[in-house]
Amino acid sequence: MTLQAPCAAAAPANDFGHRPAGALQIAEVGAYTFETGRFLPSVEIAFETWGTLNEAGDNAILVAHALTGDTHVAPTEADPGSGWWESLLGAGRPIDPERWFVVAPAMVGGCYGSTGPASPDPEGEPWGSRFPFVTIRDSVHLEARLADQLGITEFHTVIGGSMGGARALEWAATYPDRVGGVAVFACGAASTAEQIAFGQAQIKAVENDPHFHGGDYYGGTVPEAGLQLARRIAHITYRTETELSVRFGREPQGREEPFGWSSRRRGRYQVESYLDHQAEKLSSRFDPNAYIVLTEALMSHDVGRGRGGAAQALQNITAVPFLAAVDSDRLYFPEQSREIAELLPGEHEVHMIASPIGHDGFLTSPDQLADQMRRTLGL
């Protein structure tokens, strides 16, 4: 395993996803042939860790991020900044680093240190449009190589939400002998037609940006407008009509007047300003190509593919399951979590996060399920 500076895989001209020095470790996990047959001569996986691995190598927990997430689940000594799931990871919390060795890898194809479209090829040029199609299963195989290098013999639990939930479920199906427990938040056994449709709309938003150039825009103007439009589409699905109505209603943004003097010159409603803000935040930190790669990976999610269908695949899972849904989620409906529960061996409860905000409730309120997680997974 080689350790390098964070974001060493990113093209210097577009330093997407930069984290403070020392926050990331990067492991070279070798050449890899993807499910589609495309080949990379070298793949790097970026990750952060908390806690200490025991001699047996079996006190590990893998935390898988969602679509635009990263490795920074909780503060570290090198990077004390807030993490995206620190209500679950920390002293006295369900995932306590005093007891567990926690690993959070950045998914291949992204822009947070792992090999992705902005990474240099052997000649030093960004892969760009030549980067392979990545599946959730590909990411799990590569994460298994990382686990091997770290000396992990078994994960006590693999946990994730949304795309991270897809990765967790795939881990349990692909490596049943290496996963003792699996926690799947706000995700189904396979991406539905509607979820694929939302993903396709976001991909087209990026690809139709005039600066996209087929994915080979590095060294030039980044297709930010397309990525921002994709984020607007996605963010609407992450929230609920009720939340948007209560927070913003039909109120104008400050002194802006939505009823302008022409259709091309008007002010914004508050909800428009909110979406603009979310779009600008993402485009300042994320590579548009990586957004496409990871969105397509999530669209490909189907734990039953090549395994005789979801029912057969889930029947073969031996890990102790913990299933969670958000009661107001309109992207991954709770019914999809109940389907997983029905297809797994035995009887299992779907634990519900009560939140008015929709899908993002798995990020903002997972601590509601802390006691249930401890009891079910033995944390």
Side-chain angles (χ1 to χ4, degrees), residues 21-47:
L24 288 186
Q25 301 177 70
I26 297 181
E28 205 286 321
V29 296
Y32 183 75
T33 300
F34 291 79
E35 283 199 88
T36 57
R38 296 290 298 276
F39 174 80
L40 287 181
S42 175
V43 176
E44 294 179 335
I45 300 294
F47 63 100

Side-chain angles (χ1 to χ4, degrees), residues 64-139:
H65 64 76
L67 183 72
T68 58
D70 60 14
T71 59
H72 199 59
V73 182
T76 63
E77 183 176 345
D79 184 358
S82 297
W84 54 265
W85 233 8
E86 60 184 80
S87 60
L88 288 185
L89 199 167
R93 293 168 184 162
I95 304 175
D96 192 331
E98 292 296 318
R99 181 179 181 190
W100 306 108
F101 177 64
V102 186
V103 182
M107 183 168 156
V108 65
C111 58
Y112 278 98
S114 293
T115 300
S119 303
D121 67 11
E123 282 70 49
E125 295 297 322
W127 284 106
S129 62
R130 298 168 295 138
F131 194 79
F133 185 101
V134 178
T135 65
I136 297 295
R137 202 166 295 173
D138 284 322
S139 75

Side-chain angles (χ1 to χ4, degrees), residues 158-319:
V158 179
I159 179 173
S162 196
M163 188 181 77
R167 290 160 64 194
L169 195 62
E170 188 65 41
W171 253 103
T174 305
Y175 295 101
D177 57 331
R178 301 189 69 173
V179 180
V182 60
V184 180
F185 284 69
C187 188
S191 293
T192 66
E194 182 179 58
Q195 290 157 1
I196 293 170
F198 281 131
Q200 194 247 22
Q202 295 167 53
I203 289 170
K204 291 301 180 184
V206 178
E207 291 179 339
N208 287 333
D209 187 300
H211 299 298
F212 184 64
H213 297 306
D216 296 314
Y217 51 81
Y218 300 107
T221 301
V222 177
E224 289 185 349
L227 178 60
Q228 289 179 2
L229 178 55
R231 183 60 163 185
R232 289 180 177 91
I233 296 168
H235 201 78
I236 293 168
T237 71
Y238 301 156
R239 299 294 173 138
T240 65
E241 187 277 337
T242 300
E243 189 224 4
L244 296 178
S245 293
V246 170
R247 286 183 66 182
F248 306 113
R250 292 182 49 82
E251 293 301 311
Q253 175 63 21
R255 293 187 176 183
E256 296 185 36
E257 175 53 69
F259 294 91
W261 58 267
S262 82
S263 61
R264 292 178 293 112
R265 297 282 299 277
R266 67 170 179 82
R268 297 170 298 171
Y269 293 97
Q270 285 184 2
V271 70
E272 292 180 281
S273 176
Y274 170 70
L275 290 176
D276 290 345
H277 174 66
Q278 296 298 328
E280 290 164 4
K281 277 205 310 182
L282 183 74
S283 66
S284 70
R285 68 177 176 88
F286 218 81
D287 179 12
N289 267 333
Y291 193 91
I292 290 176
V293 170
L294 298 186
T295 298
E296 289 181 332
L298 185 53
M299 291 163 67
S300 80
H301 167 53
D302 179 0
V303 73
R305 178 172 54 82
R307 296 175 172 140
Q312 184 62 51
L314 293 174
Q315 277 292 313
N316 292 332
I317 286 178
T318 57

